[in-house]
Amino acid sequence: MTLSAARRTPGPVGISLFSDDAVLSWRDMVILMLTISDNHTTDALLRRVGVDALNATATRLGLTGTVIGSDLQTMLDSIDEDLGCASRKDSLAWPVGASAEEMAHADERLLDSRALDPSQGTPTTPRDMVDLLRLIWTDQGDPAAACERVRGVMAGQLTRHRIASGFRLPVRVAAKSGGLVGVIRNEIGVISYPGGRRYAAAVFTRSRPGSDDAAISRAIGAVTAQAVTALQDMGA
């Protein structure tokens, strides 16, 4: 599959930063999507599978709080519109000469944007994500081969500063992080202990623009470790 540079979903990592066309297999796109949250490959895969098909699968699996509202490009475009910018380029450029008052006003508009409103964006819940992890880790997500592949790819996630930061080897963490415009910082994952005991976790956070990213990420790891310890103390 050729991923054209002419229309590329923006993002901070991966294919989104490339200047030239890229040729990748669908299998390798899954690796970029799950290990570094590559926006462009995520949108390419989403277009291939289809939003309706994904939502139908979520319903079939009982994930009643999860609805894909659009692809990432459409979501990012809606944020630019809500900020009063004509394009992503304008959205990135205008803060350079903006006053503190203008930036504060933009932060409030950002917090009120459609993408950050669960009733208008792409909502999900920690419960749904824990249920999804349980289905994948027990081969009930169907088909079993796909579940096995997702487990393997998630184990290779490159960002280790959230859930994984709360654990040390020989404990292993397979996770998928997600974030949006410095307001949403989430991560889901499975923590596996020697002997086979496993725990699924989903930590969702929301903060004001400009919040301490590193501190929030560490807190995600810390709160997950505390929750797992509490479950172990109860014999779970």
Side-chain angles (χ1 to χ4, degrees):
M1 172 67 179
T2 299
L3 300 176
S4 172
R7 184 177 181 275
R8 186 153 282 165
T9 303
V13 296
I15 300 294
S16 296
L17 302 179
F18 286 12
S19 298
D20 301 318
D21 293 351
V23 179
L24 290 172
S25 68
W26 295 109
R27 284 165 49 88
D28 284 346
M29 285 188 219
V30 171
I31 293 174
L32 290 178
M33 178 181 69
L34 291 180
T35 59
I36 63 172
S37 298
D38 184 282
N39 285 354
H40 192 60
T41 55
T42 299
D43 270 359
L45 289 163
L46 184 56
R47 286 191 291 270
R48 180 171 175 84
V49 174
V51 169
D52 291 343
L54 277 180
N55 285 328
T57 298
T59 299
R60 176 174 60 82
L61 295 177
L63 309 178
T64 57
T66 301
V67 180
I68 307 298
S70 69
D71 63 7
L72 292 172
Q73 181 69 66
T74 301
M75 180 187 294
L76 294 172
D77 286 346
S78 76
I79 293 173
D80 293 337
E81 292 171 6
D82 292 342
L83 289 176
C85 297
S87 67
R88 171 62 32 166
K89 182 179 180 180
D90 290 343
S91 180
L92 294 174
W94 84 265
V96 175
S99 67
E101 183 179 356
E102 289 171 329
M103 289 297 296
H105 182 56
D107 286 347
E108 295 307 316
R109 283 190 293 176
L110 176 62
L111 292 171
D112 289 334
S113 64
R114 287 166 287 171
L116 294 176
D117 181 350
S119 69
Q120 301 184 69
T122 293
T124 188
T125 67
R127 170 59 65 185
D128 270 9
M129 291 300 96
V130 167
D131 286 344
L132 177 61
L133 291 172
R134 175 180 54 79
L135 292 169
I136 292 171
W137 255 255
T138 57
D139 286 339
Q140 297 180 69
D142 187 39
C147 292
E148 181 180 13
R149 175 161 168 74
V150 170
R151 294 195 297 268
V153 176
M154 285 180 61
Q157 182 204 38
L158 295 184
T159 52
R160 313 295 292 174
H161 58 297
R162 291 184 179 170
I163 289 176
S165 70
F167 301 89
R168 296 290 180 269
L169 291 174
V171 179
R172 298 188 179 275
V173 176
K176 174 67 179 74
S177 60
L180 187 61
V181 295
V183 174
I184 303 298
R185 296 174 180 85
N186 301 338
E187 187 157 273
I188 67 172
V190 171
I191 303 97
S192 299
Y193 281 77
R197 186 168 291 180
R198 299 180 302 224
Y199 301 88
V203 184
F204 287 13
T205 75
R206 182 183 177 111
S207 57
R208 294 192 62 82
S211 297
D212 189 333
D213 178 78
I216 294 170
S217 293
R218 288 194 301 270
I220 289 174
V223 74
T224 304
Q226 290 172 7
V228 169
T229 298
L231 288 171
Q232 291 173 329
D233 289 344
M234 293 187 295

